[in-house]
Amino acid sequence: MTPRPGTILRPTARGALLLGLGLAAWVLGDLTRVVPARQFAAALLLMLLLGAIGIAVCGVGLGPRRRVVDDAVPVGDAARVQLELRGTAWITVIPLGRGVVREHLPAALGGQGDLPLDSRMPHVLGVDRRGRHELGPYSIIVRDVFGLFHLRRTVADDLRITGLPAITEMSPAAAQALGITREEALQAATAPGMGEIGPMARPYASGDDVRRIHWRASARTGRLMTREEEPAAGRSAVIVLDTSRRAHPAPEVEERLLSHAATVLEMLGRAGWEVRILDASGDEITRTGHRHGRSGPSVLGGASDAVDQRASLLALADVAFDDDATGIGPDHAAGHAALAIALGPDGGEPFGGLELDRFAGRATRRTAIALGPALVDEQEPEVPRRTRRTGPADGDEFGHAHEQHARQLATRPRRVPARSRHGAWMLVRGTTADSLTDLLTVAAEEDAA
């Protein structure tokens, strides 16, 4: 149970017992005139007085402050957190008690853990799940040297850590199979069709310049449309995420799909592509432009690329697979995309109900990847997670959950990815145990055949 913010001072069970024994011995000494009983009672009450003085001294200067050094890290990595005491706490100078700092963390950050109380307490937290995770309150727990009094000071803040989709490695052969090299892009480029609205139209919004109204698109759709700059043909790509609610993907499938999307987005950015990522309803999740620092060592360009990458990963971290829409409206044109990639869960009928061709526009390279759970046939008992201790010396123990999972999967039989056709798309069906390189290699083999 998470405590409420505030300060609580109370006697411990030992302190309450000594108080009761002291009062009983004092009363017994008064009634029987037994001097040793009074002396025993006085000794017990003296211990309580010393404990009270100790806990009072230890409570001076307990003003904690916590800040997050790494507010967003990939899933499986560790985020650095700094916890310190403002000013000088007397307990760190005069050892009249002992204390810990207890962090009431969510399960995604490892659960509850304790830190030895000190003036500075840097530590790391392993991020096990994607999304935004509130750190929750933390408590300073102090007891006097006799263990007679218990002081708890709970502080709540609004700090959070975001788990980002992990970017994995993609081999050059897989990148070539996907068609993200410049040569492949130029071969895949297509010219705009006669009379098409194209990608330059979006619904008119209040404040748009009237000089940018797309009159042809407005006449076709029956509503005002505004021109919008889009990537040029041959250098733009679209990534479609099947975020519809009907699939009910397992959490590990969601994590893997978004990791693959982040990896493809990164590789396309390195190759100089402009990329849009769309959800099942056609709404834009994020987009990236040309990499400013890809043509050479540019400090400002590299910083701009890092900002763009962080913004895209944060947008992917907030993706929820709960979209009720199963189609794309007329306002979401794919534009002059030369490359289309679809990622979705494999619930028996991959991408069922989605008109993938509407997302792809005129792209000639179309690859769809559907993933299912890796160990769907095995029923493993769920092992409860134990409360762990967090501290500066624990950094090496965090950030390796994905590696341990990969080693477990490597020792078990795996299903080979299957390839087939889904209309004009190359469909590859695999599991969360398959790397993106394995999946794209399967697609390349089909193209070669």
Side-chain angles (χ1 to χ4, degrees):
M1 181 177 179
T2 303
R4 295 181 179 179
T7 301
I8 298 177
L9 177 61
R10 60 173 177 81
T12 63
R14 182 187 303 175
L17 179 61
L18 288 184
L19 180 60
L21 288 177
L23 294 177
W26 189 273
V27 173
L28 180 62
D30 282 346
L31 294 176
T32 61
R33 304 294 182 177
V34 177
V35 177
R38 290 184 175 182
Q39 293 176 345
F40 178 69
L44 294 181
L45 295 178
L46 179 60
M47 288 183 60
L48 288 171
L49 178 60
L50 292 177
I53 295 174
I55 200 69
V57 172
C58 292
V60 177
L62 288 182
R65 176 176 55 193
R66 182 172 63 177
R67 63 183 179 89
V68 175
V69 180
D70 305 314
D71 61 346
V73 297
V75 173
D77 284 358
R80 294 172 295 172
V81 179
Q82 177 66 272
L83 183 60
E84 59 188 1
L85 299 176
R86 300 190 186 97
T88 301
W90 286 22
I91 189 175
T92 61
V93 179
I94 306 175
L96 294 180
R98 56 186 182 274
V100 296
V101 176
R102 178 163 297 167
E103 293 187 298
H104 307 279
L105 303 168
L109 300 180
Q112 179 176 290
D114 293 347
L115 288 167
L117 184 61
D118 203 348
S119 57
R120 293 174 60 86
M121 295 160 283
H123 56 287
V124 294
L125 300 176
V127 181
D128 296 336
R129 299 176 189 172
R130 174 184 56 88
R132 301 178 187 271
H133 311 293
E134 300 283 347
L135 267 65
Y138 59 98
S139 303
I140 297 180
I141 302 174
V142 178
R143 289 190 178 184
D144 61 281
V145 291
F146 300 112
L148 304 179
F149 292 93
H150 178 95
L151 173 64
R152 177 192 290 268
R153 181 165 297 169
T154 303
V155 180
D157 51 30
D158 58 352
L159 298 180
R160 65 182 60 183
I161 294 176
T162 303
L164 303 176
I167 298 178
T168 60
E169 293 294 331
M170 182 192 299
S171 67
Q176 185 176 4
L178 190 60
I180 66 175
T181 61
R182 186 174 185 85
E183 292 77 10
E184 294 284 347
L186 294 178
Q187 294 177 5
T190 57
M194 182 68 67
E196 287 192 1
I197 295 176
M200 305 265 308
R202 64 168 175 81
Y204 178 83
S206 178
D208 288 342
D209 191 345
V210 294
R211 293 174 298 179
R212 298 186 61 82
I213 292 179
H214 197 310
W215 296 110
R216 185 195 301 178
S218 301
R220 279 176 168 266
T221 60
R223 59 187 300 187
L224 281 179
M225 306 293 288
T226 302
R227 292 182 178 275
E228 184 181 38
E229 294 297 332
E230 291 287 339
R235 298 306 294 170
S236 65
V238 59
I239 301 175
V240 182
L241 282 174
D242 184 2
T243 57
S244 56
R245 188 192 302 271
R246 56 173 174 72
H248 300 291
E252 61 270 18
V253 174
E254 295 183 7
E255 302 293 336
R256 196 64 166 170
L257 287 172
L258 290 170
S259 175
H260 288 344
T263 302
V264 174
L265 180 66
E266 173 67 13
M267 295 301 296
L268 288 170
R270 292 180 185 178
W273 290 70
E274 296 183 357
V275 190
R276 298 174 66 199
I277 299 184
L278 308 177
D279 61 13
S281 62
D283 294 330
E284 184 176 279
I285 299 174
T286 184
R287 71 164 60 194
T288 59
H290 290 297
R291 288 289 184 89
H292 301 285
R294 68 182 180 89
S295 59
S298 171
V299 177
L300 294 179
S304 176
D305 294 340
V307 171
D308 291 342
Q309 182 192 60
R310 175 185 170 87
S312 297
L313 292 178
L314 287 173
L316 288 175
D318 291 334
V319 171
F321 287 73
D322 58 356
D323 201 333
D324 292 326
T326 57
I328 181 171
D331 299 336
H332 300 288
H336 298 279
L339 177 65
I341 303 165
L343 298 167
D346 189 354
E349 185 183 357
F351 307 102
L354 290 183
E355 300 181 29
L356 290 182
D357 291 337
R358 295 288 301 277
F359 291 97
R362 292 178 296 276
T364 58
R365 300 292 295 267
R366 307 183 182 189
T367 305
I369 298 176
L371 298 182
L375 304 176
V376 66
D377 297 328
E378 299 188 18
Q379 299 294 332
E380 297 184 352
E382 185 175 352
V383 180
R385 301 183 58 173
R386 295 181 299 174
T387 300
R388 56 156 177 78
R389 185 181 184 89
T390 61
D394 297 329
D396 294 339
E397 297 181 7
F398 299 122
H400 302 291
H402 60 296
E403 298 176 1
Q404 296 175 3
H405 183 62
R407 288 194 294 267
Q408 293 175 0
L409 294 178
T411 61
R412 303 183 181 184
R414 288 176 46 191
R415 292 181 297 178
V416 178
R419 60 183 183 270
S420 60
R421 303 297 301 184
H422 185 77
W425 293 71
M426 171 61 61
L427 174 62
V428 180
R429 304 176 69 175
T431 68
T432 55
D434 299 316
S435 66
L436 193 56
T437 296
D438 295 336
L439 296 169
L440 293 177
T441 302
V442 170
E445 292 174 356
E446 175 68 13
D447 291 339

